[in-house]
Amino acid sequence: MSQRTVYLCVLGLFSLSIATCSSAEQGWFNPDLLGIGDRGKAGNNSLAIDEKALQRLANGQQLPGTYSVDVYFNANFIGNQDTTMTADGPNGTLTPAWSVNTLLSAGLKSKFLTADKKIDMSLAARDRPVSGILNHVAGAIVQFDFVRRRLDVSVPELYMNKSLAGATDPHLWQDGINASIVDYNFSFWKRSTAQRSSFDNDSAFLSLNNGINLGAWRLHNFSTWSYNALVRNTSAADSTERNVTQRWQAINTWIDRPIPSVMGLLSIGDRYTPSDVFDSIQFRGVQLATDEEMFPDILRDFAPVIRGTATSNARVTVRQNGNIIYETTVPPGPFTITDVPSASLSGDMYVTVRESNGAARSFIQGSSSVAVMQREHQLRYAFTGGRLRSSGIAIHQPQFLQATAIYGLPYDLTIYGGLLGANDYKAGSIGLGSLLGVVGALSADVTMAKASIFDRQGGDNLTDSTGQSWRLRYAKSISETGSTLTLAAYRYSTNGYYSFADANAILDKQSVITTFTPEGIIATPIVNAHARQEMQINFNQSLGDSLGSLGLSATHKNFWDLDSDQESVSANWNFNIKGIGVGVGYQLSRWPGSTIRDDRMVSLMVTLPLSQWLYGPESYHNVYTTTTASNSSTGIDTLSNTVGGTLLTNNRLGWSAGQTNTLSRNSDTGNSNSGNLNLSYNGMFGKAIGGYSYAQDSKQLSAGLQGVVVATHYGMTLGQSPGETMALLHAEGASGVQVKTGTGIATDWWGNAVVPAQPYRRNRFDLDLLTTEKNVTLNDSSMEVIPTRGAVIVAEYGTTMGHQVLITLTNKGKHLPFGAMVTLVREDTKVENKKHYGGGIVGDAGQAWLTGIPDSGILNVKWGDGADSSCHVRFAITEAALKVAEKRNLPVAVNGECA
């Protein structure tokens, strides 16, 4: 056994024994005992040790200094920060030198600092670091894990501000940087037939969510472009007839900015009013309203999810207030749409599903709010003034003023109400909500309105109509049974009641939307008739591991002046049997005052997990097969079989291929077979989708592209669509680094990546250290930000560019002390300001592992407090050393001598 090995073994044993001694009788080991003969006479092989550094290390304590650490406050991740640690803790332990504002931002109550006269609480001093500040907080515990670079601070909950899940302190919210944004969604669909006398159909859709951010102000524009071409081949004259329609619409343009002091959002332009008191309407004007996102998670608003079933590669179109707001192509089977633009959540959504054979069906997705409830002494408000925008082509657009307020009272009660006034319309509403304990939450309100409408006997004469509308809303979640009744609403209106939107729609005399299909033009009604009763329900029930879950979404509406009702029902039951997924669906649509007959469809879907059966549960890629059968009241039954899965790293590529057999019970239409192929790719610059299907006498092709372009002073960044609020991850010089929170997201050539973020919430983003390039070192792998609504917030990761080096440091031929601190001296101050610089700690035999080291430079080494306890080391990396390191896949070996 070598002499050096003996030294290290003895040192390890004594260090372990010393660290476990009691604090009352702390032991001390004299390093001279490690010497054999006269200490220091062993020349280059001697083990030089700094006694003060060794004593701290033997006690399990690290040396004071500035460290890049992950900070956790009461187990909540605060962020990765460069933190100065001083030996001011109990028994000389390290404790952070934080400022007063740092503790306040973590949630500490200010009164527990103001009570201590030794702490300067003036505004000018609140940002100054205070050594040992946690010593002034009784019960505070600091744990510094040097190996994991983690700092845990624990403070008794008595001293902390209480908050609900998801709540953050407003002074932590960040407005982000100036930016220009274009979030796009483009899709194309082409259908052609082989028959001489037939229809060919081409359609395209583009939606743009544009934005410009200047400080806290955001300029938004939501625009769409739709194109539809019907080409009819006439066999008799051997000619074609082409009917083309295209439309560009700037649906909404507005400016907004958060106002944290009133928990509100100021909007100027095209917006929509809240739906909690009055029905939501679109307007052009000014609004100051409570921003629901600022509230904790439990108090946030209800958002609808559109569900349906397609029997082939189908085109799904979502309309609202006469405008197309969303369009996409879906493969056969059940589909779910959760990314309808938030700028359009105003009024019911009319969903049309066009199958590849041209058949079309429509249904309604309601968008009412849940029971109105508010926390005690909390206010939710909205003040709106502007001009009504009932649709993109509406003529009658009166000016109006509206004010609503919701206030939480003691004993779990909520009172709410509002006023709405225009030239030809006046309305007032008042209601009460109550939390009924285990029963759930219930709110009830009445709205009284006076409207000027056309005389019911005909003609253009206006007459006054007065009435009331009563409404009940109920919500309940039972965790023990897995039941969630997220929405149950009932409304009854008297014969003389008209909502503001209905009254003005009648004056406009608009009632239908026209849709081009291969069979011609279908008129889908927008029901603006005289509503009498309306009910909506959204119910989810967990049935256990074996029976899965049951979901129901339904809306029913009848009218004073129509004989038939409007109905839309969507139900699904999904469960799993030994890895086999089974889904049962039912859908019903019924339209009043229309020649379109009731449309009912029942579907059954069975999914087999082929990857688990073939490769086991640890299979990296997913492979499955799905069989879907459907029965429709239109007389068409379908049976489709699909096989699909994922490929490439991080499952970026999704694929599916299938065959569909259609059986028609109508004598005038025959049976048919068709096939389809679908691909989707999630890349660092966006998401691409494509599909192809064929039938006996037709074929269709679909394609789509979704993504975002963000221009900032960091460069032009392309990425997958992040939504309204986003984070720009910036790791300068580190290209191709994978982001863990997302599929296919990686940094570009500027080191940038765009990812979605939740406003007013803590957002943590992790980079994959294993995907960095060889000479790039990430000093930070995780960052946390709290953006305001619509912000482009930057999470900047420290990077070091250069070699990974294992350097042996000596001073007058002797190895430098164990535990000495090594830093790289940067002569270029511009580089120093932009990046972290390399550093490390001397270990055994004077060796230190360093990253981000240039070809040559100067190192500063410090191992004590005296003037003779530091030195500078010049180094240079040779080509030969680089080749050896590359060949062996090891750090570059370098020697350095103190100057």
Side-chain angles (χ1 to χ4, degrees):
M1 184 178 295
S2 67
Q3 185 183 47
R4 184 168 306 279
T5 304
V6 174
Y7 289 161
L8 294 177
C9 291
V10 174
L11 175 61
L13 291 173
F14 273 93
S15 298
L16 179 62
S17 63
I18 293 171
T20 55
C21 289
S22 65
S23 59
E25 297 181 10
Q26 188 172 21
W28 164 246
F29 168 68
N30 187 349
D32 289 337
L33 295 178
L34 288 178
I36 297 179
D38 291 335
R39 186 182 177 201
K41 294 182 179 180
N44 292 343
N45 294 325
S46 66
L47 184 62
I49 300 174
D50 180 73
E51 296 185 12
K52 292 183 179 180
L54 178 60
Q55 178 62 31
R56 291 194 62 86
L57 295 173
N59 293 337
Q61 299 173 345
Q62 189 57 38
L63 299 178
T66 299
Y67 299 91
S68 177
V69 292
D70 290 337
V71 180
Y72 288 81
F73 205 99
N74 282 4
N76 294 319
F77 180 71
I78 301 298
N80 185 281
Q81 302 174 356
D82 286 337
T83 304
T84 300
M85 306 292 293
T86 62
D88 294 308
N91 300 321
T93 57
L94 295 187
T95 185
W98 279 343
S99 66
V100 170
N101 278 342
T102 300
L103 289 179
L104 295 180
S105 65
L108 187 73
K109 293 179 180 179
S110 60
K111 66 180 182 179
F112 291 103
L113 291 177
T114 55
D116 194 328
K117 301 302 181 182
K118 297 180 180 179
I119 298 179
D120 188 352
M121 293 294 293
S122 64
L123 292 177
R126 286 194 175 189
D127 282 325
R128 299 172 187 168
V130 179
S131 298
I133 190 172
L134 288 174
N135 296 337
H136 302 272
V137 181
I141 301 174
V142 177
Q143 292 181 323
F144 177 39
D145 190 329
F146 172 76
V147 176
R148 298 169 60 195
R149 294 296 177 101
R150 172 166 172 159
L151 175 64
D152 282 275
V153 176
S154 176
V155 172
E157 289 294 331
L158 175 66
Y159 304 155
M160 301 296 293
N161 292 309
K162 300 294 183 181
S163 61
L164 295 175
T168 54
D169 196 309
H171 83 271
L172 297 176
W173 298 345
Q174 302 163 284
D175 289 324
I177 61 174
N178 298 341
S180 297
I181 307 156
V182 178
D183 194 326
Y184 61 90
N185 183 355
F186 174 76
S187 59
F188 174 78
W189 189 74
K190 180 179 180 62
R191 179 178 183 268
S192 59
T193 59
Q195 300 176 358
R196 292 184 60 83
S197 179
S198 61
F199 282 98
D200 293 342
N201 183 208
D202 297 341
S203 68
F205 177 77
L206 172 67
S207 69
L208 297 175
N209 275 295
N210 308 304
I212 297 177
N213 287 13
L214 296 174
W217 290 95
R218 292 86 164 87
L219 170 63
H220 304 269
N221 171 264
F222 175 53
S223 298
T224 64
W225 173 77
S226 57
Y227 170 88
N228 205 313
L230 282 177
V231 180
R232 182 178 181 181
N233 301 312
T234 306
S235 59
D238 196 19
S239 63
T240 60
E241 297 177 1
R242 187 176 181 86
N243 190 342
V244 177
T245 61
Q246 59 177 325
R247 188 180 185 188
W248 176 269
Q249 287 182 283
I251 295 179
N252 290 318
T253 301
W254 74 99
I255 300 173
D256 64 27
R257 68 157 296 159
I259 304 181
S261 59
V262 294
M263 299 293 283
L265 184 73
L266 175 65
S267 302
I268 305 173
D270 304 328
R271 297 304 288 139
Y272 55 93
T273 61
S275 61
D276 38 28
V277 178
F278 295 108
D279 291 340
S280 181
I281 55 175
Q282 289 185 315
F283 71 92
R284 174 169 292 174
V286 180
Q287 178 175 267
L288 176 62
T290 302
D291 189 347
E292 300 292 342
E293 297 279 4
M294 293 184 182
F295 289 137
D297 297 336
I298 195 173
L299 301 177
R300 293 174 63 182
D301 236 357
F302 168 79
V305 176
I306 299 175
R307 294 182 175 89
T309 301
T311 61
S312 62
N313 273 24
R315 191 75 169 166
V316 179
T317 304
V318 181
R319 292 181 175 85
Q320 192 176 54
N321 301 310
N323 301 313
I324 298 177
I325 62 170
Y326 189 90
E327 195 166 32
T328 189
T329 302
V330 298
F335 63 85
T336 301
I337 298 176
T338 59
D339 57 345
V340 174
S342 60
S344 58
L345 294 180
S346 171
D348 292 340
M349 300 179 189
Y350 294 79
V351 185
T352 301
V353 181
R354 270 187 294 171
E355 302 290 352
S356 59
N357 62 4
R361 62 183 180 279
S362 300
F363 61 92
I364 292 178
Q365 171 65 56
S367 58
S368 296
S369 62
V370 297
V372 179
M373 290 299 302
Q374 199 72 12
R375 287 177 63 85
E376 185 175 343
H377 303 312
Q378 194 173 57
L379 174 67
R380 190 190 309 174
Y381 63 90
F383 302 101
T384 307
R387 185 180 297 275
L388 176 69
R389 296 180 71 237
S390 57
S391 72
I393 58 175
I395 299 173
H396 191 73
Q397 298 180 343
Q399 294 181 345
F400 73 96
L401 291 174
Q402 177 179 304
T404 61
I406 305 170
Y407 186 73
L409 299 172
Y411 306 107
D412 295 327
L413 295 176
T414 297
I415 187 171
Y416 59 96
L419 297 172
L420 193 159
N423 286 337
D424 297 326
Y425 190 87
K426 304 292 186 298
S429 179
I430 188 169
L432 184 68
S434 177
L435 187 63
L436 306 177
V438 296
V439 180
L442 176 70
S443 65
D445 56 70
V446 58
T447 300
M448 295 156 286
K450 178 182 179 181
S452 296
I453 62 172
F454 289 125
D455 193 333
R456 297 181 185 178
Q457 303 300 322
D460 294 333
N461 295 325
L462 295 179
T463 182
D464 289 340
S465 180
T466 304
Q468 300 85 40
S469 180
W470 302 84
R471 180 172 56 179
L472 292 174
R473 283 179 284 190
Y474 177 78
K476 173 60 181 173
S477 177
I478 307 175
S479 58
E480 293 80 5
T481 62
S483 304
T484 304
L485 188 61
T486 57
L487 173 65
Y490 173 77
R491 166 177 280 179
Y492 174 81
S493 302
T494 63
N495 193 22
Y497 175 83
Y498 288 88
S499 69
F500 189 42
D502 285 348
N504 287 281
I506 291 175
L507 291 176
D508 248 347
K509 298 182 179 180
Q510 297 178 15
S511 59
V512 298
I513 302 173
T514 56
T515 303
F516 283 100
T517 72
E519 285 75 17
I521 298 176
I522 291 181
T524 302
I526 300 180
V527 179
N528 289 316
H530 196 199
R532 182 176 184 177
Q533 298 182 73
E534 180 180 3
M535 176 175 286
Q536 293 185 22
I537 187 170
N538 194 337
F539 177 75
N540 291 280
Q541 173 65 57
S542 175
L543 304 175
D545 295 337
S546 59
L547 296 179
S549 62
L550 179 68
L552 172 66
S553 178
T555 177
H556 177 92
K557 196 173 186 179
N558 58 22
F559 307 88
W560 284 101
D561 45 5
L562 292 177
D563 293 334
S564 54
D565 298 343
Q566 172 184 301
E567 283 188 11
S568 184
V569 179
S570 179
N572 59 81
W573 177 26
N574 299 300
F575 56 94
N576 191 291
I577 303 175
K578 295 184 178 180
I580 301 175
V582 181
V584 180
Y586 173 79
Q587 199 162 326
L588 165 68
S589 297
R590 178 177 296 144
W591 304 95
S594 173
T595 57
I596 301 177
R597 59 184 174 179
D598 296 348
D599 188 359
R600 294 183 179 86
M601 186 174 72
V602 179
S603 62
L604 172 66
M605 181 186 69
V606 179
T607 301
L608 306 179
L610 297 183
S611 54
Q612 294 187 21
W613 294 352
L614 295 176
Y615 309 112
E618 303 300 326
S619 174
Y620 183 75
H621 295 298
N622 182 32
V623 182
Y624 65 89
T625 180
T626 299
T627 299
T628 303
S630 66
N631 176 276
S632 174
S633 61
T634 58
I636 298 177
D637 301 332
T638 61
L639 177 65
S640 64
N641 294 281
T642 302
V643 60
T646 57
L647 294 172
L648 303 183
T649 307
N650 295 329
N651 296 311
R652 288 174 293 164
L653 179 64
W655 63 274
S656 66
Q659 181 79 20
T660 301
N661 300 317
T662 302
L663 174 65
S664 176
R665 300 190 299 274
N666 300 325
S667 57
D668 55 342
T669 57
N671 302 333
S672 64
N673 299 320
S674 63
N676 62 82
L677 174 65
N678 297 283
L679 298 173
S680 66
Y681 178 77
N682 290 289
M684 60 183 295
F685 299 128
K687 179 179 181 180
I689 58 176
Y692 172 79
S693 64
Y694 65 89
Q696 293 177 348
D697 57 356
S698 66
K699 59 183 178 181
Q700 71 177 31
L701 180 69
S702 63
L705 188 63
Q706 302 173 9
V708 69
V709 181
V710 182
T712 68
H713 67 272
Y714 290 98
M716 188 80 70
T717 305
L718 282 70
Q720 300 177 23
S721 295
E724 182 183 20
T725 307
M726 66 192 76
L728 178 68
L729 311 187
H730 178 69
E732 185 173 350
S735 61
V737 181
Q738 297 289 329
V739 181
K740 292 184 178 180
T741 53
T743 301
I745 303 178
T747 56
D748 60 15
W749 46 83
W750 280 309
N752 298 334
V754 176
V755 294
Q758 279 191 298
Y760 314 109
R761 300 293 185 273
R762 295 185 181 276
N763 295 263
R764 181 177 179 178
F765 305 106
D766 298 317
L767 300 182
D768 189 349
L769 295 174
L770 300 179
T771 59
T772 57
E773 295 179 349
K774 185 174 182 180
N775 288 334
V776 176
T777 301
L778 288 176
N779 301 320
D780 309 308
S781 62
S782 179
M783 295 295 293
E784 187 174 274
V785 295
I786 307 177
T788 56
R789 177 190 288 274
V792 177
I793 191 74
V794 176
E796 189 164 0
Y797 299 77
T799 58
T800 305
M801 316 299 294
H803 305 288
Q804 297 182 4
V805 172
L806 183 63
I807 187 170
T808 301
L809 300 170
T810 56
N811 183 16
K812 297 179 181 180
K814 299 180 181 179
H815 293 141
L816 288 183
F818 178 84
M821 303 295 295
V822 184
T823 56
L824 177 65
V825 178
R826 292 280 192 180
E827 298 179 358
D828 187 350
T829 57
K830 294 182 180 179
V831 174
E832 183 177 347
N833 290 335
K834 287 185 178 181
K835 304 176 183 177
H836 296 277
Y837 41 89
I841 299 177
V842 175
D844 176 35
Q847 291 183 330
W849 183 72
L850 307 174
T851 61
I853 302 302
D855 293 337
S856 62
I858 301 175
L859 298 175
N860 181 52
V861 187
K862 184 178 179 61
W863 59 89
D865 298 329
D868 58 348
S869 299
S870 64
C871 72
H872 285 80
V873 176
R874 291 188 175 274
F875 67 91
I877 300 175
T878 64
E879 289 292 333
L882 285 174
K883 291 180 180 179
V884 172
E886 183 176 355
K887 182 178 180 180
R888 298 180 179 180
N889 197 24
L890 293 173
V892 183
V894 180
N895 294 322
E897 172 72 17
C898 279

PDB file of all heavy atoms in Angstrom, residues 26-38:
ATOM      1  N   GLN A  26     -15.902  18.859  21.497  1.00  0.00           N
ATOM      2  CA  GLN A  26     -15.528  18.669  20.118  1.00  0.00           C
ATOM      3  C   GLN A  26     -14.065  18.286  20.039  1.00  0.00           C
ATOM      4  O   GLN A  26     -13.199  18.934  20.616  1.00  0.00           O
ATOM      5  CB  GLN A  26     -15.788  19.957  19.335  1.00  0.00           C
ATOM      6  CG  GLN A  26     -15.614  19.779  17.842  1.00  0.00           C
ATOM      7  CD  GLN A  26     -16.058  21.019  17.120  1.00  0.00           C
ATOM      8  OE1 GLN A  26     -16.122  22.081  17.716  1.00  0.00           O
ATOM      9  NE2 GLN A  26     -16.356  20.886  15.847  1.00  0.00           N
ATOM     10  N   GLY A  27     -13.762  17.206  19.320  1.00  0.00           N
ATOM     11  CA  GLY A  27     -12.391  16.715  19.235  1.00  0.00           C
ATOM     12  C   GLY A  27     -11.565  17.508  18.250  1.00  0.00           C
ATOM     13  O   GLY A  27     -12.063  18.228  17.408  1.00  0.00           O
ATOM     14  N   TRP A  28     -10.288  17.398  18.333  1.00  0.00           N
ATOM     15  CA  TRP A  28      -9.378  18.049  17.393  1.00  0.00           C
ATOM     16  C   TRP A  28      -8.282  17.083  17.041  1.00  0.00           C
ATOM     17  O   TRP A  28      -7.707  16.417  17.893  1.00  0.00           O
ATOM     18  CB  TRP A  28      -8.789  19.320  18.009  1.00  0.00           C
ATOM     19  CG  TRP A  28      -7.567  19.820  17.255  1.00  0.00           C
ATOM     20  CD1 TRP A  28      -6.289  19.875  17.705  1.00  0.00           C
ATOM     21  CD2 TRP A  28      -7.539  20.305  15.918  1.00  0.00           C
ATOM     22  NE1 TRP A  28      -5.454  20.363  16.764  1.00  0.00           N
ATOM     23  CE2 TRP A  28      -6.199  20.649  15.627  1.00  0.00           C
ATOM     24  CE3 TRP A  28      -8.502  20.481  14.935  1.00  0.00           C
ATOM     25  CZ2 TRP A  28      -5.789  21.160  14.409  1.00  0.00           C
ATOM     26  CZ3 TRP A  28      -8.100  20.997  13.728  1.00  0.00           C
ATOM     27  CH2 TRP A  28      -6.772  21.329  13.464  1.00  0.00           C
ATOM     28  N   PHE A  29      -8.031  16.986  15.718  1.00  0.00           N
ATOM     29  CA  PHE A  29      -6.982  16.116  15.238  1.00  0.00           C
ATOM     30  C   PHE A  29      -5.854  16.965  14.679  1.00  0.00           C
ATOM     31  O   PHE A  29      -6.077  17.846  13.844  1.00  0.00           O
ATOM     32  CB  PHE A  29      -7.541  15.183  14.154  1.00  0.00           C
ATOM     33  CG  PHE A  29      -6.466  14.431  13.401  1.00  0.00           C
ATOM     34  CD1 PHE A  29      -5.723  13.464  14.047  1.00  0.00           C
ATOM     35  CD2 PHE A  29      -6.202  14.722  12.063  1.00  0.00           C
ATOM     36  CE1 PHE A  29      -4.747  12.774  13.351  1.00  0.00           C
ATOM     37  CE2 PHE A  29      -5.224  14.036  11.384  1.00  0.00           C
ATOM     38  CZ  PHE A  29      -4.491  13.060  12.021  1.00  0.00           C
ATOM     39  N   ASN A  30      -4.657  16.729  15.157  1.00  0.00           N
ATOM     40  CA  ASN A  30      -3.494  17.482  14.691  1.00  0.00           C
ATOM     41  C   ASN A  30      -3.017  16.913  13.364  1.00  0.00           C
ATOM     42  O   ASN A  30      -2.593  15.765  13.299  1.00  0.00           O
ATOM     43  CB  ASN A  30      -2.368  17.388  15.735  1.00  0.00           C
ATOM     44  CG  ASN A  30      -1.202  18.297  15.379  1.00  0.00           C
ATOM     45  OD1 ASN A  30      -1.131  18.840  14.286  1.00  0.00           O
ATOM     46  ND2 ASN A  30      -0.272  18.435  16.336  1.00  0.00           N
ATOM     47  N   PRO A  31      -3.059  17.708  12.304  1.00  0.00           N
ATOM     48  CA  PRO A  31      -2.636  17.201  10.996  1.00  0.00           C
ATOM     49  C   PRO A  31      -1.181  16.776  10.958  1.00  0.00           C
ATOM     50  O   PRO A  31      -0.786  16.027  10.072  1.00  0.00           O
ATOM     51  CB  PRO A  31      -2.898  18.402  10.058  1.00  0.00           C
ATOM     52  CG  PRO A  31      -3.905  19.239  10.775  1.00  0.00           C
ATOM     53  CD  PRO A  31      -3.591  19.066  12.219  1.00  0.00           C
ATOM     54  N   ASP A  32      -0.346  17.270  11.877  1.00  0.00           N
ATOM     55  CA  ASP A  32       1.058  16.860  11.877  1.00  0.00           C
ATOM     56  C   ASP A  32       1.225  15.366  12.077  1.00  0.00           C
ATOM     57  O   ASP A  32       2.233  14.788  11.698  1.00  0.00           O
ATOM     58  CB  ASP A  32       1.823  17.607  12.980  1.00  0.00           C
ATOM     59  CG  ASP A  32       2.007  19.080  12.636  1.00  0.00           C
ATOM     60  OD1 ASP A  32       1.945  19.397  11.411  1.00  0.00           O
ATOM     61  OD2 ASP A  32       2.192  19.894  13.557  1.00  0.00           O
ATOM     62  N   LEU A  33       0.200  14.717  12.725  1.00  0.00           N
ATOM     63  CA  LEU A  33       0.301  13.290  12.961  1.00  0.00           C
ATOM     64  C   LEU A  33       0.284  12.492  11.665  1.00  0.00           C
ATOM     65  O   LEU A  33       0.640  11.318  11.658  1.00  0.00           O
ATOM     66  CB  LEU A  33      -0.847  12.831  13.869  1.00  0.00           C
ATOM     67  CG  LEU A  33      -0.830  13.402  15.292  1.00  0.00           C
ATOM     68  CD1 LEU A  33      -2.047  12.913  16.073  1.00  0.00           C
ATOM     69  CD2 LEU A  33       0.451  12.999  16.009  1.00  0.00           C
ATOM     70  N   LEU A  34      -0.250  13.127  10.568  1.00  0.00           N
ATOM     71  CA  LEU A  34      -0.262  12.418   9.298  1.00  0.00           C
ATOM     72  C   LEU A  34       1.126  12.336   8.677  1.00  0.00           C
ATOM     73  O   LEU A  34       1.346  11.558   7.756  1.00  0.00           O
ATOM     74  CB  LEU A  34      -1.217  13.123   8.311  1.00  0.00           C
ATOM     75  CG  LEU A  34      -2.696  12.959   8.623  1.00  0.00           C
ATOM     76  CD1 LEU A  34      -3.511  13.750   7.604  1.00  0.00           C
ATOM     77  CD2 LEU A  34      -3.099  11.495   8.580  1.00  0.00           C
ATOM     78  N   GLY A  35       2.051  13.175   9.124  1.00  0.00           N
ATOM     79  CA  GLY A  35       3.385  13.176   8.536  1.00  0.00           C
ATOM     80  C   GLY A  35       4.182  11.964   8.967  1.00  0.00           C
ATOM     81  O   GLY A  35       4.038  11.393  10.046  1.00  0.00           O
ATOM     82  N   ILE A  36       5.053  11.506   8.100  1.00  0.00           N
ATOM     83  CA  ILE A  36       5.967  10.416   8.412  1.00  0.00           C
ATOM     84  C   ILE A  36       7.366  11.024   8.404  1.00  0.00           C
ATOM     85  O   ILE A  36       7.855  11.461   7.371  1.00  0.00           O
ATOM     86  CB  ILE A  36       5.865   9.269   7.411  1.00  0.00           C
ATOM     87  CG1 ILE A  36       4.460   8.666   7.486  1.00  0.00           C
ATOM     88  CG2 ILE A  36       6.919   8.219   7.670  1.00  0.00           C
ATOM     89  CD1 ILE A  36       4.257   7.537   6.496  1.00  0.00           C
ATOM     90  N   GLY A  37       7.993  11.061   9.563  1.00  0.00           N
ATOM     91  CA  GLY A  37       9.241  11.785   9.686  1.00  0.00           C
ATOM     92  C   GLY A  37       8.955  13.262   9.772  1.00  0.00           C
ATOM     93  O   GLY A  37       7.959  13.689  10.313  1.00  0.00           O
ATOM     94  N   ASP A  38       9.863  14.087   9.273  1.00  0.00           N
ATOM     95  CA  ASP A  38       9.667  15.539   9.291  1.00  0.00           C
ATOM     96  C   ASP A  38       8.648  15.916   8.234  1.00  0.00           C
ATOM     97  O   ASP A  38       8.801  15.585   7.053  1.00  0.00           O
ATOM     98  CB  ASP A  38      10.986  16.264   9.021  1.00  0.00           C
ATOM     99  CG  ASP A  38      11.950  16.081  10.184  1.00  0.00           C
ATOM    100  OD1 ASP A  38      11.447  15.840  11.306  1.00  0.00           O
ATOM    101  OD2 ASP A  38      13.165  16.163   9.948  1.00  0.00           O
TER     102      ASP A  38
END
